[in-house]
Amino acid sequence: MIGSGFFKSKVENYFPKTPIRFNKRLVKEGDAATATTATTATTTNTTTTTTTTESTTIPELIKSKIKEFEKDYTFYVNPLLSSGHTQTAYTALNKFESRNLVYYKRQIITIEDKTYTLPNGTKLKYDQWKGESTVALDYAMKTPVTPDPDHLRFRPSSQQEELPPRTEFKNPEEELIENTDDKPLLIVLHGLSGGSFEAYIRAVLEKIIEDPYDFDAVVLNSRGCAHHTITSPQLYNGLWTNDVRYLMNEFVTKKWPKKRIYMMGFSLGGAILANYLGQEASAVSPQIKGACMFGTPWDFPDGAHHLRASIIGHNVYSPTMCANLLKLLNKHGILTENEFVKQYRDDPSKYNVKFLKDFDNFFTSRLFGLNSADEYYRLASPVQRLLKVRVPTLIISSVDDPVTGSRSLPYSESELNPYVTMVTTTVGGHLGWFTWNGERWYTIPVCKFLKELDQLDVDKSSITKDDLPLDISQSWKYDRLVNGMLDASTTEQSEIVEHTD
């Protein structure tokens, strides 16, 4: 692996047996994409559009356009960052304040007391707090940015904390993103207790919002993260997908109905994104055209075991993640409306909360009505929903990731689901992937990937029912194996009982 004084990281990829096919999408005349794809022109009263019969797949796209994701591609890493642990430590201990200088405008979004409807007609609320909850949405700004010294006049009264660097409150009357189809929108989800300020996010955003990619981009900060002040007595977790759902249903698709949307999640944000897309399944918004997930923990129980089994994981990573979550818990007084949080805040010495699993046992599980960390871990594992994803999805992980491990990477799911592609590296750590010159390997190729994907539309006719994973709802229902055993005369009544429990 050694060459010219540096180490190499090697790429492997995993494709489905029958990958979904894409056609070149309809584009307005004059768009750069038409220059190489014009075959037939159709004129209407308002615009001229161009269509093509070109067809491709993700494996073909990677081979022809994105060599960094090809099998056996290698990139150099500095010898000082030649392991998963050093890559992870480097990204965790550095703020990278002299590079990736992305500027944000922040909008506080209230989770209104509304319901959404499941495909079977069931109505659910977005949360239980009757319009008290808020999240922080940060708009990535193209450079140059002139700071607004008076931006605090737009700060909501509920928000008490200082904002992260290069972040200002947005003027509510200012429209930063236009409702047009000429620029796609990227929505980013951060990792555990992180936020838009994280360098692993900024490294992508500083490139993708500028030429030649020219995306609009926003970061959804989870409750209490990125210096957002919590306004209802609830945190978040890997299974809490309703803030993403609210953002999509009640904000993005209503405010920008013409936008083509791409989503990106890092670490826990990748788990939330995968869980959301898997829950939405074929009912997912047609505006969502693709997704990328980095360093995602796919199997939470296995990840918890992996952390405990490693000396560094048990004594460094797990206590650090626990401490970061405790800071959130202690910072937001409204959380003491939960009696068990109040008891902890009154006398922390009575509780032995040192490791990540301790926090999830005492707080995460109970905040969401679950019994234990183990129960939460089993329910939250996104690997069990990946087969239901119906959005072109790129998974990027490193097999030396010391936080998530690699035993539970979704190898079989990547083979079975036509919409899923997985790329792995031998060296990269957890959200690291630092090359010999300090840049992150994934930033340019993922920007290229999304740019290429934005020129395409999924050809759903290229996939038949036989190409998709089995729908196990025909075999697994009511917490039982029921394949071929359902009584059609009682199914309808059973559904009614199930929905009203």
Side-chain angles (χ1 to χ4, degrees), residues 91-276:
T91 191
L93 297 176
N94 287 279
K95 296 184 182 298
F96 301 93
E97 286 302 318
S98 63
R99 63 197 313 174
N100 312 133
L101 302 183
V102 176
Y103 292 79
Y104 296 105
K105 293 282 189 177
R106 173 164 297 185
Q107 179 174 358
I108 303 300
I109 296 177
T110 298
I111 309 297
E112 299 168 282
D113 189 18
K114 291 183 175 181
T115 61
Y116 65 96
T117 305
L118 298 178
N120 63 14
T122 301
K123 291 184 179 297
L124 296 173
K125 288 194 173 186
Y126 288 103
D127 75 5
Q128 59 183 314
W129 305 113
K130 302 184 186 305
E132 296 178 2
S133 303
T134 55
V135 292
L137 186 69
D138 287 349
Y139 293 69
M141 305 297 294
K142 296 187 73 168
T143 54
V145 175
T146 302
D148 178 3
D150 199 24
H151 72 96
L152 291 179
R153 70 189 186 277
F154 305 124
R155 181 178 66 186
S157 59
S158 61
Q159 303 302 309
Q160 302 301 318
E161 292 193 68
E162 296 291 329
L163 293 179
R166 298 177 304 281
T167 304
E168 299 178 348
F169 284 106
K170 172 184 172 292
N171 182 341
E173 298 180 358
E174 184 179 14
E175 293 295 341
L176 300 178
I177 294 177
E178 296 181 2
N179 179 32
T180 61
D181 60 0
D182 59 339
K183 288 183 68 173
L185 172 65
L186 176 65
I187 300 174
V188 183
L189 308 181
H190 58 78
L192 183 69
S193 66
S196 57
F197 59 85
E198 298 285 4
Y200 57 76
I201 290 177
R202 296 180 352 239
V204 173
L205 292 191
E206 76 162 352
K207 291 180 173 60
I208 204 163
I209 64 175
E210 304 286 351
D211 292 335
Y213 310 109
D214 201 27
F215 276 56
D216 288 318
V218 295
V219 181
L220 177 63
N221 297 292
S222 292
R223 303 182 185 206
C225 293
H227 301 195
H228 162 253
T229 301
I230 291 178
T231 55
S232 63
Q234 178 186 313
L235 282 173
Y236 66 98
N237 64 44
L239 190 53
W240 180 249
T241 56
N242 269 10
D243 288 345
V244 180
R245 184 168 288 108
Y246 182 89
L247 180 73
M248 284 300 306
N249 291 355
E250 309 296 338
F251 189 84
V252 171
T253 57
K254 291 182 177 180
K255 193 175 183 65
W256 305 303
K258 296 181 180 179
K259 285 287 188 188
R260 292 168 61 87
I261 296 166
Y262 299 86
M263 305 187 80
M264 183 178 292
F266 292 86
S267 192
L268 187 72
I272 294 171
L273 177 55
N275 280 328
Y276 166 72

Side-chain angles (χ1 to χ4, degrees), residues 61-75:
L61 187 67
I62 287 176
K63 184 175 182 179
S64 62
K65 302 287 187 179
I66 309 155
K67 63 181 179 12
E68 295 92 338
F69 290 160
E70 276 196 274
K71 177 181 173 63
D72 295 332
Y73 177 86
T74 59
F75 59 93

Side-chain angles (χ1 to χ4, degrees), residues 155-408:
R155 181 178 66 186
S157 59
S158 61
Q159 303 302 309
Q160 302 301 318
E161 292 193 68
E162 296 291 329
L163 293 179
R166 298 177 304 281
T167 304
E168 299 178 348
F169 284 106
K170 172 184 172 292
N171 182 341
E173 298 180 358
E174 184 179 14
E175 293 295 341
L176 300 178
I177 294 177
E178 296 181 2
N179 179 32
T180 61
D181 60 0
D182 59 339
K183 288 183 68 173
L185 172 65
L186 176 65
I187 300 174
V188 183
L189 308 181
H190 58 78
L192 183 69
S193 66
S196 57
F197 59 85
E198 298 285 4
Y200 57 76
I201 290 177
R202 296 180 352 239
V204 173
L205 292 191
E206 76 162 352
K207 291 180 173 60
I208 204 163
I209 64 175
E210 304 286 351
D211 292 335
Y213 310 109
D214 201 27
F215 276 56
D216 288 318
V218 295
V219 181
L220 177 63
N221 297 292
S222 292
R223 303 182 185 206
C225 293
H227 301 195
H228 162 253
T229 301
I230 291 178
T231 55
S232 63
Q234 178 186 313
L235 282 173
Y236 66 98
N237 64 44
L239 190 53
W240 180 249
T241 56
N242 269 10
D243 288 345
V244 180
R245 184 168 288 108
Y246 182 89
L247 180 73
M248 284 300 306
N249 291 355
E250 309 296 338
F251 189 84
V252 171
T253 57
K254 291 182 177 180
K255 193 175 183 65
W256 305 303
K258 296 181 180 179
K259 285 287 188 188
R260 292 168 61 87
I261 296 166
Y262 299 86
M263 305 187 80
M264 183 178 292
F266 292 86
S267 192
L268 187 72
I272 294 171
L273 177 55
N275 280 328
Y276 166 72
L277 294 175
Q279 289 170 344
E280 295 296 294
S282 57
V284 68
S285 168
Q287 284 186 247
I288 301 177
K289 302 300 183 181
C292 300
M293 299 154 193
F294 296 85
T296 299
W298 291 100
D299 187 313
F300 282 30
D302 182 67
H305 176 78
H306 175 79
L307 275 180
R308 291 195 301 272
S310 161
I311 293 177
I312 296 179
H314 182 69
N315 294 293
V316 178
Y317 300 136
S318 183
T320 299
M321 288 187 282
C322 179
N324 289 337
L325 288 171
L326 285 174
K327 288 178 183 177
L328 283 181
L329 196 75
N330 290 320
K331 186 187 301 181
H332 301 279
I334 196 170
L335 293 173
T336 58
E337 291 186 18
N338 299 282
E339 183 60 29
F340 55 90
V341 176
K342 182 179 184 302
Q343 291 172 0
Y344 169 80
R345 292 274 296 269
D346 288 345
D347 190 359
S349 65
K350 292 182 178 179
Y351 295 79
N352 184 20
V353 186
K354 181 179 179 182
F355 302 105
L356 178 60
K357 189 172 183 179
D358 296 333
F359 185 94
D360 290 335
N361 220 19
F362 280 111
F363 303 113
T364 305
S365 58
R366 296 180 68 186
L367 281 167
F368 292 87
L370 303 176
N371 288 290
S372 66
D374 287 321
E375 184 172 62
Y376 158 54
Y377 292 162
R378 286 190 291 270
L379 294 173
S381 297
V383 70
Q384 63 192 316
R385 296 178 184 87
L386 189 55
L387 290 179
K388 298 179 182 178
V389 170
R390 295 296 178 265
V391 167
T393 297
L394 175 67
I395 295 167
I396 300 179
S397 292
S398 186
V399 296
D400 69 348
D401 188 324
V403 174
T404 67
S406 61
R407 292 178 304 194
S408 55

Side-chain angles (χ1 to χ4, degrees), residues 36-49:
T36 58
T37 63
T39 56
T40 306
T42 304
T43 304
T44 68
N45 293 331
T46 56
T47 60
T48 301
T49 57

